[in-house]
Amino acid sequence: MVAGAGAAELQPWREGRLPAFSLPDTAGARAELPAGAPVVLHFFATWCEPCRVEFPALQRLAARASTSGPLKVVAVSVGEVAAPVRKLLAAVPVDFPVLLDEDRAVARAWKVDTLPTSYVLDENLVPRLVAQTDLAWDEVSVESLLQTIRAAAAANGGTK
Amino acid sequence: MTVDRRNVLKAGAAMAAAAALPRLASAEVAFAPQPGAWREFEVTTRVEIDNRGGRVQAWVPVPAVNESAWFRTLDNRWTTNGDAALANDTAYGAAMVHVQWPAAEAKPVAEIVSRIAVRDRAVDLARPAGAAPLAPAERALWLKGTELIPVDGIVKETSDRIVKGADTDVARARAIYEWIVDNTFRDARVRGCGIGDIAAMLRSGNLGGKCADLNALYVGLARAAGIPARDVYGIRVAPSRFGYKSLGAGSANITKAQHCRAEVYLSGLGWVPVDPADVRKVVLEEPPTNLAIDDPKVVAVRKTLFGAWETNWLAYNFAHDVALPGSSGHRVGFLMYPQAEVADARLDCLDPDSFRYTITSKELPAA
């Protein structure tokens, strides 16, 4: 168990760093992954039912992390235009950045085969854990997730 | 013994009726399209866009397929309060009506009317008709990988496994068809969703999907086996005449009836129609739904959809990775739905209620 019962699907990621990217949000403003703190990078689509169930739990995780952090959440909508994502955000407002990978180039570079897929990156943006399914984020403890990331980073030697 | 003449007459009428029916599959379920009379349809696509600011563009697919045995594009006409022109994709010849409106137009609207003639297809796989081989450039086009349909890596490995031991292209093409029918599915217990490219489907092991996934998988596996293959993107325009509720348009409103099919080019036979995705659709949706794979209704379509199509359907194009002229946005993997942009932002083509478009179909009286 990595960080609570809900994180049982999180597996170690051993393939090292994945390509940096810059993507627009639903207003067209481009953003990159925020460095300096571990990041939950979540790939999803609005038409994907398990993704829709998971989305509000990610917001609760982000809210918990804002007090017990440092942990940031970034979501990437895969293969969709802005309109359905805006509609989702109107129904489920979130504080974290939601970016658009319309042509799936980032999902492909990040080896995303199924939605949702979540990576947990260390503060140097090296992926350390991956879940290629939906997760019960409400059962994930931020503290133990951060501990796991630190241990994985130490075991694999920094910013490989 | 006396003979009741009325019964003899009734029996004779029944035999005549049976002879007129297509051949019967097991348990009296018939699904046997045969090339017969041509049917004409008029399909109308009406697009309405709320302009909340900025220039507006729309790209509406229109049929560009002309195949002497089964499909004729008769004409495409349009009316609009914008500037419209017919545009073609240069690689595959897909056609679309490209409409542009200035930022000052608050209510952009366009109506496109296409007339087509179609007839059912059935290829006798045992009797090659002497079709000429594809020209080298065309053969190369229908063998190469695309953005959504790579033909190397896991696609090639899977294809090699499926066709192992099959010694002709017909046997290889059929082995892939049977594999798709046997191995793909739609299962509510699968928690994850596909991302719409076939290599990702195979890597994830989630082989659930709809026509654009399953028939694309067929095309990719066939191309990887060295057999030219292509997706044919289109829309159902009429109910099935074989009584299959799941294989036809349920009403004149066909806004959500898009369906893509596949073809393989087999030596001597030419383009052969296949549609493994429709076999899975019958399994899932044909009343009473969730049919067993050995249900007579499934068996009948499975037997037929390698080599035949009921053409209650309009074929738009064979195109992949289509660039929309005048757009700075991404290419579309295929052009089966109307597309539009307001202020250069692409609208959601799968949500015809927010990006309002309706597609209706009517059969025209036989000429």
Side-chain angles (χ1 to χ4, degrees):
Chain A
M1 190 172 77
V2 172
E9 310 275 9
L10 277 170
Q11 301 295 319
W13 175 260
R14 301 188 200 284
E15 295 179 40
R17 192 181 282 280
L18 290 164
F21 61 82
S22 154
L23 285 173
D25 65 15
T26 58
R30 295 193 81 86
E32 297 175 357
L33 285 174
V39 177
V40 171
L41 175 61
H42 177 73
F43 292 89
F44 77 104
T46 60
W47 48 263
C48 162
E49 202 176 326
C51 302
R52 286 202 304 271
V53 173
E54 193 172 353
F55 210 67
L58 271 172
Q59 168 58 18
R60 291 190 289 273
L61 174 80
R64 281 190 285 133
S66 68
T67 54
S68 58
L71 175 72
K72 296 184 173 169
V73 175
V74 174
V76 174
S77 145
V78 179
E80 297 186 287
V81 300
V85 181
R86 274 196 214 108
K87 201 188 272 182
L88 173 73
L89 294 177
V92 186
V94 297
D95 299 329
F96 52 81
V98 179
L99 308 178
L100 303 178
D101 179 24
E102 284 195 36
D103 63 2
R104 285 182 289 225
V106 172
R108 270 202 302 280
W110 280 67
K111 305 183 180 189
V112 173
D113 293 336
T114 190
L115 297 173
T117 287
S118 299
Y119 285 95
V120 188
L121 320 181
D122 68 18
E123 70 266 27
N124 296 309
L125 304 181
V126 179
R128 295 301 181 187
L129 299 170
V130 64
Q132 290 170 321
T133 184
D134 45 326
L135 275 179
W137 290 104
D138 288 333
E139 296 171 25
V140 173
S141 144
V142 173
E143 291 81 0
S144 50
L145 190 60
L146 292 173
Q147 247 170 35
T148 309
I149 292 298
R150 279 194 289 270
N156 287 290
T159 60
K160 175 174 95 157
Chain B
M1 192 177 76
T2 58
V3 175
D4 184 335
R5 190 164 175 273
R6 283 171 305 171
N7 283 346
V8 171
L9 285 175
K10 272 161 68 181
M15 284 170 67
L21 281 173
R23 72 191 148 85
L24 293 177
S26 56
E28 303 300 310
V29 176
F31 185 79
Q34 289 293 327
W38 288 81
R39 301 168 75 186
E40 287 189 19
F41 291 90
E42 186 175 273
V43 173
T44 302
T45 305
R46 183 178 172 84
V47 175
E48 291 173 77
I49 300 162
D50 279 334
N51 187 2
R52 293 177 186 145
R55 72 170 185 152
V56 178
Q57 300 189 82
W59 299 263
V60 178
V62 292
V65 172
N66 278 294
E67 297 286 323
S68 59
W70 61 275
F71 195 95
R72 297 183 201 138
T73 298
L74 300 177
D75 60 43
N76 294 304
R77 292 169 287 127
W78 53 85
T79 51
T80 175
N81 56 358
D83 288 327
L86 195 65
N88 283 92
D89 147 73
T90 49
Y92 297 94
M96 63 201 96
V97 176
H98 177 205
V99 196
Q100 301 181 78
W101 294 270
E105 179 54 63
K107 293 280 177 199
V109 61
E111 190 168 284
I112 292 95
V113 181
S114 301
R115 266 193 327 124
I116 58 161
V118 294
R119 65 174 183 168
D120 288 355
R121 301 178 74 182
V123 173
D124 186 343
L125 299 165
R127 290 188 195 164
L134 286 173
E138 213 182 341
R139 186 177 164 82
L141 179 67
W142 304 123
L143 281 174
K144 78 172 185 186
T146 73
E147 187 97 12
L148 293 178
I149 307 182
V151 295
D152 53 3
I154 193 169
V155 179
K156 174 79 174 126
E157 289 157 27
T158 308
S159 178
D160 286 350
R161 250 194 341 268
I162 295 168
V163 303
K164 195 174 175 190
D167 55 2
T168 64
D169 274 358
V170 174
R172 283 187 276 272
R174 186 186 287 279
I176 295 168
Y177 173 85
E178 301 295 349
W179 186 89
I180 298 271
V181 173
D182 284 332
N183 289 280
T184 66
F185 59 95
R186 194 168 177 81
D187 184 346
R189 290 169 301 174
V190 174
R191 290 189 297 168
C193 308
I195 83 162
D197 88 54
I198 65 168
M201 281 173 80
L202 292 171
R203 277 196 301 268
S204 70
N206 176 3
L207 298 183
K210 288 188 177 173
C211 67
D213 306 305
L214 305 188
N215 285 339
L217 186 56
Y218 182 85
V219 167
L221 292 169
R223 289 184 185 181
I227 308 171
R230 60 190 182 184
D231 282 295
V232 197
Y233 295 96
I235 189 164
R236 300 184 207 269
V237 294
S240 167
R241 294 203 282 195
F242 296 95
Y244 279 81
K245 214 173 160 196
S246 59
L247 298 185
S251 72
N253 184 334
I254 58 169
T255 304
K256 296 184 179 180
Q258 288 80 6
H259 177 55
C260 73
R261 294 176 149 172
E263 291 184 306
V264 277
Y265 199 90
L266 298 175
S267 180
L269 292 164
W271 285 113
V272 171
V274 299
D275 197 342
D278 259 358
V279 182
R280 296 308 312 186
K281 191 163 196 282
V282 168
V283 169
L284 180 74
E285 295 177 9
E286 190 62 25
T289 74
N290 292 309
L291 304 184
I293 196 77
D294 60 354
D295 185 289
K297 288 179 189 165
V298 177
V299 172
V301 292
R302 179 176 191 159
K303 192 172 157 188
T304 305
L305 285 175
F306 183 79
W309 285 346
E310 181 183 8
T311 316
N312 52 339
W313 173 79
L314 174 155
Y316 286 125
N317 59 61
F318 310 101
H320 293 282
D321 307 336
V322 182
L324 302 176
S327 168
S328 54
H330 64 92
R331 288 168 178 258
V332 291
F334 48 82
L335 184 64
M336 186 163 59
Y337 300 93
Q339 303 282 339
E341 288 180 358
V342 174
D344 296 329
R346 194 75 54 87
L347 302 182
D348 183 4
C349 67
L350 293 178
D351 185 1
D353 295 324
S354 71
F355 159 30
R356 277 173 294 150
Y357 63 86
T358 53
I359 309 176
T360 54
S361 167
K362 75 172 174 195
E363 184 161 7
L364 302 175

